[in-house]
């Protein structure tokens, strides 16, 4: 007689349009220029990082400002796989995820000892330590960094097929491959987070966010939940890092562990778009990219503007741009709300 | 004898880190706010002092004296206009706001002062040193350390022997009840942040006189400050000095082994303390 | 005996909030707990649920020593509780609140819990508002939700903390009828309450707590009539 | 001197007070009794501005004070002894007392010396941290701290809570002396006997409403019982 559903009309629209978007995005390199493909690669990887950070902070309450640790270690692990083990770069990407996962264990062990805001700086310290340690890794260029060897970049799995398919030069084909991988990653991460929110774990996350004591008293293992979220986020961040530096083919500790690129920008995307929603980071990354393009010629004014916009958004619209939209018309493109249907039930949401 | 020298240098360096940390500790102690822009505010103050020296031709000491009220007002305004609005049970808003401020400030400084390294000129004092028999110490590090001690004594005096200090501690314990005593918590917070900025100016003065600085080095100062505070145990200024000394000594020993290990050694010392004493060396009895 | 407390003590610094509490609750009983504000009633609940751990003594649930077992484990064994100040998951709907409790309290799949959640919502008169966000509820509905969520964990032992306080008489009556029905189905209940007429209409025994000590336990009539209890509880100098 | 008109209070979504009217005249002692959850403490928190309310709902000397902050209300001469004492743990006994008087400096009978005369034990323990004291001594500090501002009106929220009867007697013994100093007193109490013994008038509250207003000397036990529990004795 009673049924549970998460179905909404907006959700149905998403379910239909998402595959169309994905197919269109897959086919895009056939018509788009190399510059567009590179821009899209940038957007997709930033979106991936933003979704992951949003999972951590927006859903898990874990405000990390040390995500660059996992980007960096993921990228370096991929380089190590290629340079030291002679793996194909594409196959070395999972190594990045694995390395980040391994690093996440001691990171969580230390950072979880710090309460609240100090957790944030704790993760930052770990990121710095990782950066300094990696800079000692002479086989990978130490403090100055290194590049992927020519023979590795020229033999990346799948580039030959892309070259013949689109009639591209090698470097452009590599960009297309990276773009496709980024597309796969962002779909997997966004889809994975959406799936998580619709699973039991999603209820637990929401419960813990609302009230830790009450969550424990209904049987939620809050400690394990934190660990799970942190480890998942670290592994996915590591994969993204490996992919980003596969595309650039050059790495240095400064670039791979840059707090501005991999954490500050990501935080601004989430905050401006709307924290605690899947739609927020998507909207945020578009605003971010638009700002970046518009202010590209103004050097550091651009980052300053971004920082100030984030402050203003936090002060006046703490739920971000998507929050403004959703509060107006209750639109949810990724509905996870479980509704009970059956006799005697009135509206609600 | 070289090791003794390194130890002394490290201890004196700890004084500088205690200066970095005291403002952070003060603000956290009173309003449970972690200001991620703290390091960048130090750099801002350093540029203010530098401007006083280069544009107005003042001596660094006078320039710092001029910068003090400016920084106090800035801290007061920052707290009253921005941070008071986001203080609350949820730690996310203040963290994100101060993080946004940090990035904005850093890039604003970069735009105004460029990425060039600068230094506050102090003339003859810069290289001067004092021969203590066993070791020779620089006058500047010695003054830094002495200033840190004077500052801690001063802050403790303010905290424990004045009505304002009483109001600080009462508000820190229980802001609602402090309100019932006629104390406006938001006003107290604004004054506290103002005072923290005065300490920041002192830190900036020594930072700028002892070494080169540029707009990008704020976050690293924040991290040193944070480590000193956590090692010391929240809420104890003497503990913060001890924390600063531990990091300073670790850094000088690390640097003696290999110049590349200086910063790393400081961080490792921090992590080691965290492992052994998660609540710091001198935790407050009441939390 | 479903629950046994043996010489359970708990102190916060110098303050003893539970002082050698010994009590046994047989399966199916409804036990009321009264005592002045600050007597340690909610502390006792927190010790039973594992939100606090006893300094001394032993707590047994279903014959197993649970003195050191964490809250989460006790919920799964069948200890359900409501909070004195309602603590709903404000961002979730009423139904989702129950679903969370059912899925984690019993360790089952969500889909299997739907019917049961609907039944509990019906019983606690919340069905109508199943899809309302908990943060928007009135006090009465919050109290109902506290009860419903505790029930959704599938408790053998239900701990109710001042669930009738702050309600109008009519609202209180309706809630009491619900609690009585739950009790009639065999759920063991321990109930802290200041609204005595509500309490005495359900419970079979009353326990009086003062300064963390048990100063009386027995049939409600006897307890309410005892001079010592009246003096301590009401402070009336009779 | 103080009046509330249809005072309502909400905690988030739910309402804890449903239109409460009380008045307190200068120098008067009023008791507010009722079971736990009746709204007594909420009433105190509303009057002192801890909970916000509509400006016109609380009047002090005829002026609306509902929109003022706790600090501003306190500076008008309304001091509170909060429920649970709420001493500042990082302040000593003497500092706790001093903090009570530092924001409002008006001439009056109360000073560090006279508070120590009222509760001599506090003089001996003036250097101890407030929280190292016994419950009864802490309560004395809380009362003394409120007196330090020489208030016109002293609000006492559950000052006998969790204390042994002999200690409660000592604390209540101080109330007549506080009245001699000129302050009006509002006593929020669960201990009906104690409250009635010192009050001029009594309000009984139940479930967020005032259910009984009477002169303390004239009220019958049965009346209180039914106002307190909602059922006859």
């Amino acid at each position: 007689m009673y049924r549970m559903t998460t179905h909404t009309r907006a959700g149905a629209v998403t379910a239909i349009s998402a595959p169309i978007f994905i197919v269109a995005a897959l086919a895009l390199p056939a018509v788009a220029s190399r510059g567009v493909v590179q821009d899209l690669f940038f957007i997709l990887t930033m979106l991936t990082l933003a979704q992951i950070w949003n999972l951590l902070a927006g859903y898990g309450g874990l405000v990390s400002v040390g995500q660059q640790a996992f980007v960096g270690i993921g990228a370096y692990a991929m380089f190590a796989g290629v340079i030291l083990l002679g793996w194909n770069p594409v196959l070395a990407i999972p190594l990045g995820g694995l390395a980040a996962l391994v690093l996440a264990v001691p990171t969580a062990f230390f950072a979880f000892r710090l309460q609240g805001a100090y957790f944030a700086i704790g993760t930052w310290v770990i990121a710095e330590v990782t950066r300094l340690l990696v800079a000692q890794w002479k086989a990978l260029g130490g403090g100055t960094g290194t590049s992927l060897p020519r023979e590795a970049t020229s033999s990346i799995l799948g580039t030959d097929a892309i070259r013949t398919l689109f009639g591209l030069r090698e470097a452009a084909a590599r960009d297309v491959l990276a773009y496709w991988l980024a597309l796969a990653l962002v779909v997997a991460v966004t889809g994975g987070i959406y799936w998580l929110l619709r699973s039991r774990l999603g209820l637990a996350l929401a419960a813990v966010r609302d009230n830790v004591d009450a969550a424990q008293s209904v049987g939620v293992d809050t400690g394990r939940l934190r660990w799970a979220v942190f480890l998942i986020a670290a592994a996915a961040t590591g994969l993204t890092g490996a992919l980003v530096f596969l595309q650039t083919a050059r790495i240095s500790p400064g670039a791979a562990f840059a707090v501005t690129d991999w954490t500050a920008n990501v935080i601004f995307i989430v905050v401006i778009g709307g924290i605690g929603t899947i739609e927020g980071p998507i909207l945020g990354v578009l605003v971010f990219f638009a700002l970046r393009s518009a202010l590209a010629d103004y050097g550091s004014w651009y980052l300053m503007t971004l920082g100030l916009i984030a402050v203003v958004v936090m002060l006046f619209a703490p739920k971000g741009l998507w929050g403004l939209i959703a509060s107006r018309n209750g639109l949810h493109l990724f509905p996870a709300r479980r509704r009970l249907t059956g006799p005697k039930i009135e509206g609600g949401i | 004898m070289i090791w003794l020298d390194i130890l002394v240098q490290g201890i004196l360096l700890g004084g500088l880190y205690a200066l970095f940390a005291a403002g952070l500790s003060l603000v956290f102690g009173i309003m449970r706010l972690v200001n991620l822009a703290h390091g960048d505010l130090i750099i801002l103050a350093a540029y203010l002092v530098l401007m006083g020296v280069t544009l107005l031709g003042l001596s660094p000491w006078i320039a710092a004296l001029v910068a003090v009220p400016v920084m106090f007002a800035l801290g007061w305004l920052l707290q009253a206009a921005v941070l008071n609005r986001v203080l609350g049970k949820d730690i996310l808003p203040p963290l994100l706001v101060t993080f946004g401020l940090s990035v904005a400030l850093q890039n604003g400084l970069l735009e105004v002062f460029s990425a060039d390294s600068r230094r506050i000129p102090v003339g003859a004092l810069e290289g001067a040193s004092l021969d203590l028999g066993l070791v020779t110490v620089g006058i500047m590090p010695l003054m830094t350390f002495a200033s840190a001690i004077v500052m801690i004594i001063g802050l403790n005096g303010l905290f424990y022997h004045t009505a304002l200090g009483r109001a600080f501690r009462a508000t820190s314990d229980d802001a609602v009840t402090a309100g019932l005593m006629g104390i406006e918590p938001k006003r107290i917070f604004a004054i506290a942040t103002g005072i923290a900025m005065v300490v920041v100016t002192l830190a900036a003065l020594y930072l700028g006189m002892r070494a080169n600085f540029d707009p990008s080095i704020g976050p690293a100062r924040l991290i040193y400050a944070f480590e000193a505070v956590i090692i010391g145990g929240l809420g104890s200024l003497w503990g913060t000095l001890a924390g600063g000394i531990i990091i300073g000594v670790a850094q000088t020993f690390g640097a003696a082994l290999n110049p590349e290990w200086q910063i790393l050694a400081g961080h490792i010392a921090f992590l080691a303390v965290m492992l052994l004493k998660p609540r710091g060396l001198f935790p407050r009895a009441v939390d | 005996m479903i629950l046994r407390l043996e010489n359970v003590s708990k102190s916060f610094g110098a303050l003893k909030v539970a002082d050698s509490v010994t009590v046994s609750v047989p399966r199916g009983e409804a036990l009321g707990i009264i005592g002045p504000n600050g007597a340690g009633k909610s502390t006792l609940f927190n010790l039973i649920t594992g939100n606090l751990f006893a300094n001394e003594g032993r707590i047994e649930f279903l014959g197993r020593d649970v003195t050191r077992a964490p809250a989460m484990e006790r919920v799964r064994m069948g200890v359900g509780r409501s909070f004195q100040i309602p603590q709903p998951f404000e961002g979730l709907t009423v139904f989702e609140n129950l679903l969370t409790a059912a899925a984690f309290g019993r360790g089952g799949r969500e889909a299997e819990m739907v019917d049961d959640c609907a039944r509990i919502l019906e019983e606690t008169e919340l069905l109508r508002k199943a899809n309302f966000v908990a943060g928007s509820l009135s006090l009465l509905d919050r109290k109902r939700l506290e009860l419903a969520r505790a029930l959704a964990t599938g408790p053998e032992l239900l701990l109710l903390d001042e669930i009738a306080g702050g309600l109008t008489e009519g609202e209180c009556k309706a809630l009491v009828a619900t609690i009585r029905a739950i009790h009639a189905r065999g759920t063991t209940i321990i109930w802290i309450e200041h609204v005595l007429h509500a309490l005495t209409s359900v419970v079979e025994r009353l326990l009086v707590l003062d300064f963390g000590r048990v100063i009386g336990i027995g049939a409600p009539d006897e307890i309410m009539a005892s001079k010592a209890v009246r003096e301590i509880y009401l402070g009336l100098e009779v | 001197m103080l009046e509330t008109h249809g005072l309502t209070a909400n905690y988030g979504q739910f309402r804890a007070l449903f239109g409460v009217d009380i008045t307190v005249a200068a120098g008067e002692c009023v008791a507010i009794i009722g079971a736990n959850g009746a709204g007594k403490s909420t009433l105190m928190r509303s009057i002192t501005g801890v909970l916000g309310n509509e400006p016109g709902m609380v009047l002090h000397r005829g002026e609306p004070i509902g929109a003022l902050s706790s600090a501003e209300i306190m500076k008008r001469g309304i001091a509170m002894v909060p429920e649970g004492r709420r001493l500042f743990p990082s302040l000593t006994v003497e500092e706790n007392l001093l903090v009570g008087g530092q924001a409002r400096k008006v001439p009056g009978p109360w000073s560090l010396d006279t508070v120590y005369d009222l509760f001599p034990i506090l003089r001996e323990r003036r250097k101890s941290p407030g929280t190292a004291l016994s419950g009864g001594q802490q309560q004395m500090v809380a009362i003394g701290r409120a007196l330090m501002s020489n208030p016109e009106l002293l609000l006492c929220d559950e000052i006998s809570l969790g204390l042994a009867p002999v200690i409660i007697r000592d604390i209540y013994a101080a109330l007549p002396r506080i009245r001699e100093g000129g302050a009006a007193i509002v006593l929020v109490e669960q201990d009906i006997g104690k409250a009635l013994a010192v009050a001029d008038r009594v309000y009984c509250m139940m479930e967020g409403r005032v259910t009984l207003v009477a002169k303390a000397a004239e009220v019958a036990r049965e009346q209180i019982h039914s106002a307190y529990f909602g059922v006859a004795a």
Side-chain angles (χ1 to χ4, degrees):
Chain A
M1 185 164 55
Y2 287 97
R3 256 176 10 89
M4 175 171 74
T5 175
T6 51
H7 178 86
T8 65
R9 267 170 60 192
V13 171
T14 311
I16 294 167
S17 51
I20 299 174
F21 260 110
I22 293 168
V23 170
L26 276 172
L28 197 79
V31 292
S33 72
R34 190 174 171 198
V36 170
V37 169
Q38 284 176 337
D39 282 348
L40 283 172
F41 173 82
F42 173 75
I43 290 176
L44 292 179
T45 48
M46 288 311 281
L47 177 57
T48 309
L49 291 175
Q51 290 290 9
I52 297 166
W53 191 81
N54 186 36
L55 171 69
L56 270 179
Y59 292 105
L62 297 168
V63 189
S64 163
V65 287
Q67 289 308 97
Q68 67 275 18
F70 304 116
V71 171
I73 200 73
Y76 264 96
M78 188 273 287
F79 268 62
V82 174
I83 294 174
L84 304 179
L85 306 175
W87 291 14
N88 190 292
V90 171
L91 298 179
I93 291 175
L95 207 55
L98 185 68
L101 187 68
V102 171
L103 175 65
V105 174
T107 305
F109 178 77
F110 277 110
F112 285 169
R113 291 180 162 222
L114 295 163
Q115 296 302 309
Y118 279 124
F119 170 84
I121 314 187
T123 56
W124 199 348
V125 171
I126 304 268
E128 281 300 293
V129 170
T130 316
R131 177 176 70 84
L132 293 165
L133 284 174
V134 166
Q136 298 296 313
W137 198 351
K138 304 297 181 211
L140 291 177
T144 47
T146 185
S147 297
L148 283 180
R150 182 81 187 89
E151 59 271 24
T153 51
S154 62
S155 66
I156 291 177
L157 217 61
T159 38
D160 286 343
I162 294 168
R163 286 179 70 177
T164 41
L165 185 64
F166 295 125
L168 290 171
R169 299 225 317 244
E170 189 194 302
R174 209 165 62 223
D175 284 343
V176 171
L177 178 75
Y179 162 75
W180 277 347
L181 289 173
L183 184 65
L185 193 59
V186 80
V187 169
V189 163
T190 309
I193 290 173
Y194 187 37
W195 174 82
L196 205 71
L197 295 181
R198 291 165 62 106
S199 76
R200 262 166 43 114
L201 225 52
L203 281 178
L205 282 172
V208 169
R209 189 167 52 162
D210 280 351
N211 194 318
V212 177
D213 287 340
Q216 280 172 341
S217 81
V218 298
V220 176
D221 189 339
T222 52
R224 229 167 75 185
L225 196 64
R226 277 199 324 169
W227 271 93
V229 168
F230 194 76
L231 294 189
I232 292 171
T237 306
L239 287 175
T240 316
L243 181 57
V244 168
F245 284 87
L246 170 80
Q247 197 256 354
T248 61
R250 152 123 208 109
I251 200 167
S252 70
F257 292 91
V259 63
T260 307
D261 292 345
W262 312 126
T263 298
N265 283 342
V266 166
I267 291 178
F268 295 151
I269 289 171
V270 178
V271 167
I272 293 171
I275 193 163
T277 60
I278 291 181
E279 296 89 339
I282 299 175
L283 191 57
V285 82
L286 297 176
V287 173
F288 170 73
F289 185 74
L291 271 174
R292 187 173 177 268
S293 311
L295 297 170
D297 299 335
Y298 298 94
S300 39
W301 288 123
Y302 141 70
L303 267 172
M304 192 179 118
T305 312
L306 204 59
L308 289 179
I309 291 176
V311 170
V312 169
V313 167
M314 249 0 262
L315 285 177
F316 300 103
K319 293 194 167 157
L321 295 179
W322 185 260
L324 292 179
I325 295 170
S327 71
R328 226 153 270 151
N329 49 28
L331 189 62
H332 296 286
L333 299 181
F334 297 89
R337 182 71 79 192
R338 287 110 170 129
R339 291 197 335 282
L340 188 65
T341 61
K344 289 199 266 186
I345 294 173
E346 286 178 10
I349 50 168
Chain B
M1 220 38 78
I2 176 142
W3 294 112
L4 182 66
D5 189 51
I6 292 166
L7 180 68
V8 171
Q9 305 306 336
I11 291 172
L12 294 183
L13 182 59
L16 182 64
Y17 293 161
L19 285 174
F20 291 160
L24 193 72
S25 171
L26 188 103
V27 167
F28 182 82
I30 292 172
M31 61 195 101
R32 303 288 177 275
L33 174 90
V34 173
N35 184 355
L36 294 184
H38 185 76
D40 306 290
L41 287 162
I42 296 176
I43 306 306
L44 172 71
Y47 276 109
L48 270 184
V49 175
L50 181 68
M51 273 176 21
V53 173
T54 52
L55 297 183
L56 306 177
L58 303 171
S59 87
W61 314 100
I62 304 294
L65 220 55
V66 172
V68 158
V70 177
M71 287 301 289
F72 179 90
L74 186 77
W76 195 93
L77 259 175
L78 176 66
Q79 186 67 40
V82 179
L83 299 179
N84 273 343
R85 304 174 63 125
V86 288
L87 279 180
K89 217 181 71 188
D90 190 356
I91 60 150
L92 193 71
L95 264 183
L96 297 185
V97 164
T98 56
F99 191 65
L101 277 175
S102 161
V103 172
L105 205 52
Q106 204 177 323
N107 288 283
L109 289 172
L110 192 62
E111 202 55 51
V112 176
F113 296 105
S114 84
D116 299 342
S117 275
R118 304 297 296 269
R119 191 164 186 155
I120 299 170
V122 275
L125 265 181
E126 197 169 316
S129 62
L130 196 62
D131 191 351
L132 295 178
L134 282 176
V135 288
T136 304
V137 293
I139 295 288
M140 200 44 85
L142 208 56
M143 285 178 68
T144 313
F145 194 80
S147 298
I149 288 179
V150 170
M151 188 251 333
I152 290 175
I153 291 172
L155 281 181
N156 276 337
L158 173 74
F159 256 64
Y160 293 101
H161 301 289
T162 67
L164 180 63
R166 233 168 16 230
F168 279 155
R169 284 182 289 144
T171 310
S172 159
D173 282 348
D174 183 345
V176 171
T177 306
L180 292 173
M181 302 299 127
I183 296 164
E184 289 285 5
K186 293 200 161 174
R187 213 182 126 249
I188 290 294
F189 293 161
I191 296 172
T193 305
I195 293 175
M197 288 307 112
V198 172
V199 180
V200 154
T201 313
L202 187 63
L205 173 67
Y206 284 106
L207 169 80
M209 291 192 300
R210 292 180 56 166
N212 289 341
F213 60 93
D214 66 68
S216 71
I217 67 164
R221 309 311 114 174
L222 167 72
I223 290 181
Y224 300 153
F226 159 77
E227 289 175 341
V229 171
I230 297 278
I231 291 178
L234 300 173
S236 156
L237 285 173
W238 290 115
T240 300
L241 178 63
I245 289 174
I246 287 176
I247 295 172
V249 169
Q251 285 192 358
T252 48
F253 273 97
L257 294 171
N258 178 345
E260 287 182 32
W261 294 351
Q262 179 189 345
I263 312 293
L264 191 59
H267 293 324
I268 304 275
F270 163 71
L271 292 178
V273 173
M274 283 281 304
L275 199 62
L276 302 171
K277 289 236 170 196
R279 281 165 51 80
L281 298 177
F282 309 100
R284 216 165 30 168
V286 200
D287 234 331
Chain C
M1 291 298 151
I2 190 165
L3 178 76
R4 279 167 61 89
L5 273 68
E6 264 177 43
N7 293 315
V8 171
S9 295
K10 173 76 187 173
S11 308
F12 294 119
L15 187 66
K16 215 155 196 185
V17 282
D19 191 351
S20 295
V21 174
T22 298
V23 62
S24 292
V25 183
R27 188 180 279 275
E29 190 188 46
L31 171 72
I33 298 182
I34 61 172
N37 217 342
K41 303 186 297 292
S42 292
T43 304
L44 198 59
F45 266 19
N46 285 330
L47 291 170
I48 297 172
T49 58
N51 290 75
L52 286 176
F53 291 114
N55 300 123
E56 287 163 47
R58 175 184 166 89
I59 302 174
E60 263 177 38
F61 179 66
L62 292 170
R64 233 188 82 189
D65 183 351
V66 295
T67 317
R68 298 270 121 210
M72 186 179 67
E73 198 180 317
R74 296 191 212 187
V75 182
R76 290 180 188 159
M77 287 178 70
V79 181
R81 67 114 26 119
S82 79
F83 286 95
Q84 181 183 357
I85 297 161
Q87 305 201 2
F89 305 128
E90 305 220 350
L92 294 179
T93 65
V94 169
F95 170 62
E96 286 173 320
N97 266 268
L98 265 67
L99 203 58
T100 311
F104 287 91
R106 299 186 216 181
R109 283 165 36 85
E110 281 178 50
E112 295 159 3
M113 302 294 169
V114 174
D115 284 336
D116 223 30
C117 288
R119 187 187 55 70
I120 294 168
L121 286 172
E122 172 128 52
E123 178 166 35
T124 51
E125 298 180 61
L126 279 172
L127 191 52
R128 214 165 48 78
K129 297 198 172 156
N131 296 328
F132 282 65
V133 178
S136 71
L137 296 181
S138 67
L139 175 60
L140 173 63
D141 286 334
R142 279 166 187 254
K143 295 266 184 184
R144 286 171 168 161
L145 180 55
E146 277 295 315
L147 176 62
R149 196 176 60 188
L151 286 174
T153 61
E156 304 246 1
L157 170 64
L158 181 61
L159 305 174
L160 301 174
D161 197 347
E162 298 199 17
I163 195 129
L167 302 183
T168 68
E169 204 156 332
E171 292 169 346
C172 187
K173 260 188 189 139
L175 201 62
V176 167
T178 309
I179 294 170
R180 206 180 274 145
I182 293 160
H183 180 44
R185 283 204 308 272
T187 308
T188 313
I189 293 176
I190 306 181
W191 185 4
I192 294 173
E193 193 55 78
H194 279 286
V195 185
L196 292 182
H197 61 95
L199 187 64
T200 49
S201 69
V202 176
V203 300
E204 286 121 20
R205 278 198 303 166
L206 266 186
L207 183 155
V208 188
L209 216 54
D210 196 18
F211 292 106
R213 272 175 298 116
V214 178
I215 58 165
I217 184 162
D221 298 350
E222 292 167 27
I223 291 288
M224 290 308 290
S226 82
K227 179 165 171 288
V229 166
R230 284 198 83 100
E231 258 184 34
I232 286 168
Y233 187 49
L234 299 177
L236 283 180
E237 284 155 16
V238 274
Chain D
M1 177 178 60
L2 182 85
E3 33 190 320
T4 68
H5 293 290
L7 180 61
T8 59
N10 303 298
Y11 288 103
Q13 296 278 342
F14 71 82
R15 179 157 285 197
L17 292 181
F18 299 83
V20 171
D21 299 322
I22 66 162
T23 58
V24 184
E28 192 183 23
C29 180
V30 170
I32 298 176
I33 61 171
N36 200 6
K40 309 182 301 293
S41 290
T42 306
L43 175 60
M44 293 301 104
R45 291 161 67 85
S46 293
I47 292 172
T48 51
V50 174
L51 287 175
N53 56 55
E54 300 285 322
M57 287 178 174
V58 185
L59 302 180
H60 175 237
R61 299 189 174 283
E63 290 170 35
I65 59 167
L68 301 185
S69 71
S70 297
E72 288 163 329
I73 290 170
M74 181 274 186
K75 286 181 195 157
R76 294 183 67 108
I78 301 176
M80 171 129 112
V81 183
E83 183 180 2
R85 277 96 67 175
R86 309 286 291 254
L87 299 192
F88 300 111
S90 46
L91 271 57
T92 64
V93 167
E94 186 153 300
E95 287 176 326
N96 264 285
L97 294 176
L98 287 172
V99 98
Q102 73 185 46
R104 176 179 143 96
K105 293 196 162 42
V106 294
W110 299 107
S111 64
L112 216 45
D113 273 338
T114 52
V115 168
Y116 283 148
D117 291 342
L118 185 67
F119 300 118
I121 181 75
L122 299 186
R123 179 175 277 129
E124 288 168 33
R125 310 221 44 185
R126 65 180 190 277
K127 296 287 176 206
S128 315
T131 42
L133 272 55
S134 73
Q137 291 165 355
Q138 287 191 27
Q139 191 64 69
M140 292 171 192
V141 176
I143 294 171
R145 185 178 63 177
L147 287 176
M148 288 291 288
S149 63
N150 283 301
E152 301 175 357
L153 173 62
L154 182 69
L155 306 173
C156 298
D157 197 354
E158 308 271 18
I159 51 172
S160 61
L161 198 69
L163 301 181
V166 54
I167 313 252
I168 297 175
R169 207 184 52 208
D170 287 353
I171 285 176
Y172 266 82
L175 292 182
R177 292 179 59 190
I178 293 170
R179 291 189 70 180
E180 282 163 24
I185 299 176
V186 173
L187 280 179
V188 164
E189 260 304 348
Q190 287 184 71
D191 189 329
I192 302 167
K194 279 279 177 298
L196 289 185
V198 294
D200 303 317
R201 285 190 308 128
V202 58
Y203 288 87
C204 188
M205 289 183 69
M206 190 174 73
E207 291 155 10
R209 296 175 177 85
V210 171
T211 49
L212 174 74
V213 191
K215 288 220 166 67
E218 295 168 3
V219 67
R221 258 195 67 203
E222 288 69 29
Q223 270 180 296
I224 288 186
H225 198 280
S226 73
Y228 196 104
F229 295 116
V231 291

